Amino acid sequence: MTTLSLISRNCGSQGGNSDRAIESGLETRIHKDFFAGGLLIGSVRRLNGVWLKNLGSPRIESRNRFHVVAKIRKGKKHDYPWPDDIDPNLSSGHLSYLSYFKPLKEKPKPVTLAFEKPLVDLEKKIVEVRRMADETGLDFSDQISSLESKYQQALKDLYAHLTPIQRLTIARHPNRPTVLDHILNITDKDKWVELHGDRAGYDDPAIVTGIGSIDGKSFMFIGHQKGRNTKENIERNFAMPTPHGYRKALRMMKYADHHGFPIITFIDTPGAFADLKSEELGQGEAIAQNLRTMFSLKVPIISVVTGEGGSGGALAIGCANKLFMLENSAFYVASPEACAAILWKSAQAAPKAAEKLRITAQEHYRLRIADGVIPEPLGGAHADPVWTSQQIKLAITQAMEELGKMDTEELIRHRMLKYRPIGGFQEGIPVDPERKRNMKLSDLNAAEAGDIESELEELKKKILEAEGPSEPITSQTIKKLEEDVDQEITNAFISMGLQEKLESLQLELSKTPDDPNNQTLNWALKEKVDRIMQEFDHNLARPGAYLGLKQKLEMLNMAHRLIEHKEKAEKLKAEINQKVPAEVKAKMEVLKEAQQKLSKGDPFDKDLVEEVEKAKNELKEVLKSANLEIIGMTKRNVPPPPPDLAENIAKVNEEIGKEIERAINVTGLNGKIEELKAEVAKGSSSETVEKLKAEIQEQITAVMDVTTLKEKFENLNVDLASHAGTADNGRL
């Protein structure tokens, strides 16, 4: 930018104090636009050492004139890609200057991916043997040939069983050939010209467009361009386009549609650039315009996914008649890291997310989204970029032979029918207008509360009704529950990012010799285990996290507690039966007969009542001898009351209910009771529920006629005790 430096100074020899103050050498830098138009022309007479004549103020006398020194700073060179010194005798290749893409001066450094590390040792051995052969002059050709064959076999085995996340790392390889590499490899020599600008803003370098020819036929090329090094990646914004990039692509599509050029798009982007400025400029609208326009273009469209295709940023130039994917490319709606962070609360679960998202070319071909998978050389496209480009050219040529036979209407319908069946839609079958929503908890392993409660009750029932703790049905249920808990814990370790730590610890344990005297090593391993478990417990204790695992752990603990109690009860029952004398057992049979008579309403014999009391006392002594403390006595199955007492019991219960209802009406507790019901339905904490219960009971008791009800209740207990022969058996 050109700037002017204004230096104010007093040139008169007889200036006053105020004039001398101007001699301070105050320097002000003013943008060149300040002197725009006639102001600059009318004010500046000379380039250096001019007098300021008229700036809209009274003319300054000669003694107090301002001296202006103008310094022209050299501005930034224009941004056009072609140089100023083009050879005038150049007969061809003028348009090559329109492209910023130039060959790299230095070869890119080799990059080893994480899963390729086993191959590094073999490479080192091959290099070492070759160095020895050069130094010693000996013939090691057999050893080198053997090592190279082992390396090729290991490479083949490794790339034959790649996981989705490994294919994604290959697609993101820093040395992977870019879109312009492929374009220059497949187009005819000197038949490629890059076009710039969207005619509405600036030229977005993240998307490249241009015209080139393949075997003499012209095509419009559009693609995402990544950088080959850090500097280029920053310039290209890591192939993340802004709205200007998509509008540039749209302009070129319309241009190609007008002139009848088939369109070839190359997809290699992590997604559209989602910063604040892009959203303000209409990022979503620009992508939507591209999607709508591509379905109406009258020329064939072929898309090739060369790296990774992220979400709408890739689809904005991917609505094609034919979609091809390189063997190690990926197409996804959200990156596995982002998906794992959303669903499993940790980006460490990206490998699991990559499998669930089905991002690979093979999965897209199986789902009929991709029309073909273009092979890559062993080691990825960066191992042989030219060969990969030729495979792309072959796929494009074959597709154009098929699409070139279609007329305009067939092309548009073919494009529509390609995307129509995705998602299971079938032509001619009506779609249900009602939208069915299946809302799920944020945690995938969280089960429904009602299902957990029903399973818990069913498990309790099975354990309590089982004839023994080791009954096969109960054991199978608990074993299945333990397997589910183990799987949930494994998934939780993966989502927390602790799987690698656990595997490294297991590997360390496997290498450790079984030496009980090595206390230092055992203590260090124990400390590592404690740290991992503390981190696991901390993550598990987060509110709302891993709800399904927590509920299953609670079920498993409850099942083990019930089985333990039942085992103790069975053992105690066996000990008591051994210590109870035969005479006491005979008297217990007499007690059972008495209970049966009571249920039938038959009168009791006084001698029988005394004999029952004597049997109870003897049974208490036997239990005390077994070191058991007698807290109270009750019956397992309480017989129904006699018919003459049933009416009295019903009458007393009715009076109690009426008195409680009257107390509620007097105190106005209907609102409190409804509040209590609501809290119980919401599953509030026990403290809140108990507090409301205590308040309601206290207010009801304060207004009830407790004395009268208590008297009737005691009389009823006395009647029951007189019939049963004991006060304990007359409990309501």
Side-chain angles (χ1 to χ4, degrees):
M1 182 183 298
T2 304
T3 60
L4 295 176
S5 177
L6 271 66
I7 302 176
S8 175
R9 57 178 73 160
N10 187 358
C11 298
S13 58
Q14 298 180 359
N17 292 334
S18 60
D19 298 332
R20 291 192 181 93
I22 302 176
E23 295 180 359
S24 59
L26 178 64
E27 181 176 347
T28 306
R29 297 189 180 273
I30 303 176
H31 192 276
K32 65 179 180 180
D33 292 341
F34 178 81
F35 294 101
L39 181 61
L40 180 61
I41 297 172
S43 302
V44 181
R45 291 185 178 178
R46 294 185 298 167
L47 182 63
N48 191 8
V50 297
W51 302 106
L52 218 62
K53 183 176 181 182
N54 185 12
L55 282 177
S57 59
R59 184 167 180 173
I60 303 173
E61 298 298 330
S62 60
R63 289 189 303 171
N64 296 323
R65 291 174 179 169
F66 289 94
H67 185 243
V68 179
V69 178
K71 297 179 181 178
I72 306 298
R73 181 180 297 175
K74 189 177 181 181
K76 186 179 179 181
K77 188 180 178 182
H78 53 70
D79 295 329
Y80 298 114
W82 53 80
D84 295 328
D85 54 348
I86 297 180
D87 185 4
N89 299 320
L90 189 66
S91 59
S92 63
H94 296 82
L95 296 179
S96 62
Y97 288 108
L98 288 174
S99 179
Y100 296 93
F101 191 80
K102 307 298 179 186
L104 289 176
K105 296 179 180 179
E106 298 179 0
K107 288 186 68 176
K109 295 180 180 179
V111 177
T112 303
L113 300 176
F115 68 91
E116 293 178 328
K117 289 182 179 178
L119 301 174
V120 175
D121 295 336
L122 283 173
E123 288 181 349
K124 289 181 178 178
K125 288 181 180 178
I126 293 172
V127 172
E128 186 177 351
V129 172
R130 283 177 175 168
R131 182 180 57 80
M132 289 176 59
D134 293 338
E135 291 178 355
T136 59
L138 299 176
D139 185 13
F140 290 99
S141 56
D142 293 340
Q143 290 83 349
I144 293 173
S145 177
S146 175
L147 288 173
E148 286 180 345
S149 62
K150 285 183 180 179
Y151 178 83
Q152 289 298 324
Q153 186 61 39
L155 184 65
K156 188 182 296 184
D157 294 340
L158 183 63
Y159 275 80
H161 305 91
L162 291 173
T163 63
I165 195 66
Q166 288 173 345
R167 291 192 184 276
L168 181 60
T169 56
I170 297 173
R172 293 172 174 172
H173 198 286
N175 296 339
R176 192 172 179 85
T178 63
V179 167
L180 283 172
D181 288 317
H182 291 305
I183 291 175
L184 294 176
N185 286 335
I186 67 178
T187 54
D188 300 336
K189 187 178 180 182
D190 296 330
K191 297 295 183 181
W192 156 253
V193 54
E194 185 176 345
L195 304 177
H196 300 271
D198 66 339
R199 301 299 185 266
Y202 65 92
D203 179 43
D204 186 357
I207 282 189
V208 295
T209 59
I211 300 175
S213 64
I214 300 177
D215 298 333
K217 184 174 179 58
S218 296
F219 293 86
M220 175 64 72
F221 292 93
I222 301 171
H224 304 96
Q225 176 64 24
K226 284 186 176 179
R228 296 165 293 179
N229 49 44
T230 305
K231 181 181 178 182
E232 284 191 8
N233 269 319
I234 294 172
E235 290 176 354
R236 300 280 183 179
N237 199 27
F238 295 87
M240 293 187 290
T242 62
H244 295 285
Y246 293 116
R247 288 173 182 138
K248 176 170 74 170
L250 180 63
R251 183 175 77 86
M252 297 305 169
M253 290 177 193
K254 291 180 178 179
Y255 180 85
D257 188 50
H258 177 74
H259 291 281
F261 295 149
I263 299 172
I264 300 174
T265 66
F266 293 92
I267 298 171
D268 187 13
T269 178
F273 192 49
D275 68 329
L276 180 61
K277 190 67 176 176
S278 296
E279 296 299 330
E280 290 175 350
L281 294 173
Q283 184 74 281
E285 185 268 346
I287 293 173
Q289 286 283 0
N290 282 26
L291 296 177
R292 184 178 68 176
T293 304
M294 289 189 77
F295 279 103
S296 63
L297 296 177
K298 302 174 184 178
V299 294
I301 305 175
I302 300 173
S303 292
V304 181
V305 183
T306 60
E308 55 178 333
S311 189
L315 199 60
I317 61 171
C319 299
N321 295 93
K322 294 285 185 178
L323 175 67
F324 298 104
M325 297 181 68
L326 286 180
E327 185 180 354
N328 295 317
S329 61
F331 210 165
Y332 49 75
V333 68
S335 66
E337 293 83 2
C339 180
I342 294 170
L343 296 181
W344 290 280
K345 308 295 186 278
S346 172
Q348 299 295 327
K352 183 178 179 181
E355 292 181 6
K356 300 293 183 183
L357 287 171
R358 301 180 181 180
I359 63 175
T360 61
Q362 292 74 17
E363 287 287 346
H364 282 80
Y365 181 71
R366 186 179 63 82
L367 295 172
R368 298 183 180 179
I369 297 172
D371 297 285
V373 178
I374 301 174
E376 295 184 25
L378 277 178
H382 54 278
D384 194 346
V386 176
W387 186 86
T388 307
S389 299
Q390 294 306 313
Q391 298 303 311
I392 294 174
K393 180 180 179 179
L394 180 62
I396 292 172
T397 305
Q398 292 175 352
M400 279 305 303
E401 289 179 1
E402 178 184 349
L403 298 176
K405 300 175 183 178
M406 300 181 185
D407 58 20
T408 301
E409 292 183 1
E410 287 178 329
L411 276 173
I412 295 175
R413 180 165 178 79
H414 177 274
R415 198 177 305 138
M416 183 269 292
L417 291 177
K418 171 177 172 52
Y419 292 91
R420 192 71 165 167
I422 294 176
F425 177 79
Q426 297 180 8
E427 292 289 343
I429 299 177
V431 180
D432 188 359
E434 296 182 2
R435 296 183 64 187
K436 296 180 175 65
R437 295 176 175 86
N438 184 17
M439 304 301 290
K440 296 183 179 179
L441 296 173
S442 59
D443 197 338
L444 289 183
N445 63 354
E448 293 290 338
D451 296 342
I452 291 293
E453 290 179 2
S454 61
E455 290 179 10
L456 189 61
E457 292 299 326
E458 187 178 353
L459 185 59
K460 282 183 181 179
K461 187 177 179 181
K462 282 184 180 180
I463 294 174
L464 294 175
E465 291 179 355
E467 296 180 358
S470 59
E471 190 181 42
I473 297 177
T474 308
S475 301
Q476 289 176 4
T477 305
I478 294 176
K479 184 178 179 181
K480 184 177 181 303
L481 181 60
E482 288 176 346
E483 291 175 355
D484 291 344
V485 170
D486 289 341
Q487 183 62 39
E488 293 285 352
I489 290 175
T490 303
N491 294 338
F493 265 95
I494 294 174
S495 65
M496 293 176 188
L498 300 175
Q499 185 70 12
E500 294 182 0
K501 294 181 181 179
L502 196 62
E503 291 176 354
S504 64
L505 183 62
Q506 291 174 347
L507 182 62
E508 192 173 349
L509 283 171
S510 64
K511 294 180 179 179
T512 304
D514 297 332
D515 186 6
N517 298 323
N518 195 348
Q519 298 294 333
T520 305
L521 183 59
N522 294 336
W523 179 83
L525 291 175
K526 184 177 180 301
E527 188 178 7
K528 289 183 180 179
V529 172
D530 291 341
R531 281 201 302 268
I532 293 174
M533 292 310 300
Q534 285 176 4
E535 188 174 354
F536 177 79
D537 293 338
H538 175 72
N539 293 331
L540 190 65
R542 288 184 301 171
Y546 308 100
L547 297 179
L549 176 58
K550 291 176 184 176
Q551 290 165 344
K552 289 180 181 178
L553 283 173
E554 184 180 351
M555 284 180 62
L556 189 61
N557 292 334
M558 181 276 301
H560 286 310
R561 286 198 303 269
L562 284 177
I563 291 175
E564 186 179 353
H565 292 332
K566 191 160 187 178
E567 288 177 350
K568 289 182 179 179
E570 293 291 336
K571 185 178 180 181
L572 183 61
K573 184 178 178 181
E575 291 179 359
I576 292 173
N577 287 333
Q578 289 177 358
K579 294 184 179 180
V580 173
E583 296 84 2
V584 177
K585 291 181 180 179
K587 291 178 181 179
M588 293 302 297
E589 293 295 329
V590 175
L591 179 59
K592 289 181 181 179
E593 293 177 3
Q595 289 176 346
Q596 292 176 359
K597 287 183 179 181
L598 177 63
S599 62
K600 294 178 182 179
D602 296 339
F604 273 99
D605 187 3
K606 292 184 179 180
D607 296 336
L608 182 59
V609 173
E610 291 179 359
E611 191 172 356
V612 168
E613 281 295 324
K614 186 177 179 182
K616 283 187 176 182
N617 292 331
E618 291 180 359
L619 182 60
K620 287 181 181 179
E621 294 299 326
V622 171
L623 294 175
K624 288 180 180 178
S625 66
N627 296 325
L628 296 173
E629 182 181 357
I630 309 301
I631 298 174
M633 298 188 68
T634 183
K635 297 184 298 180
R636 181 174 298 173
N637 295 315
V638 179
D644 57 338
L645 290 178
E647 295 181 4
N648 292 337
I649 293 173
K651 190 181 292 185
V652 171
N653 285 334
E654 185 178 355
E655 291 179 3
I656 292 173
K658 288 182 178 179
E659 183 63 25
I660 292 174
E661 186 176 354
R662 186 190 67 82
I664 291 172
N665 293 331
V666 170
T667 55
L669 290 173
N670 292 316
K672 280 277 186 184
I673 293 173
E674 293 298 327
E675 184 182 352
L676 177 61
K677 290 180 181 179
E679 292 293 336
V680 172
K682 286 193 302 184
S684 301
S685 62
S686 58
E687 295 180 0
T688 306
V689 174
E690 292 298 329
K691 185 178 179 181
L692 285 172
K693 282 183 180 179
E695 291 178 2
I696 293 171
Q697 289 175 359
E698 184 179 354
Q699 295 184 33
I700 290 175
T701 308
V703 298
M704 280 181 62
D705 187 5
V706 181
T707 306
T708 306
L709 291 176
K710 188 176 181 181
E711 184 178 349
K712 292 180 180 180
F713 184 73
E714 289 177 352
N715 292 335
L716 187 59
N717 272 337
V718 170
D719 292 339
L720 287 171
S722 63
H723 283 282
T726 176
D728 290 335
N729 291 338
R731 193 182 296 171
L732 281 177

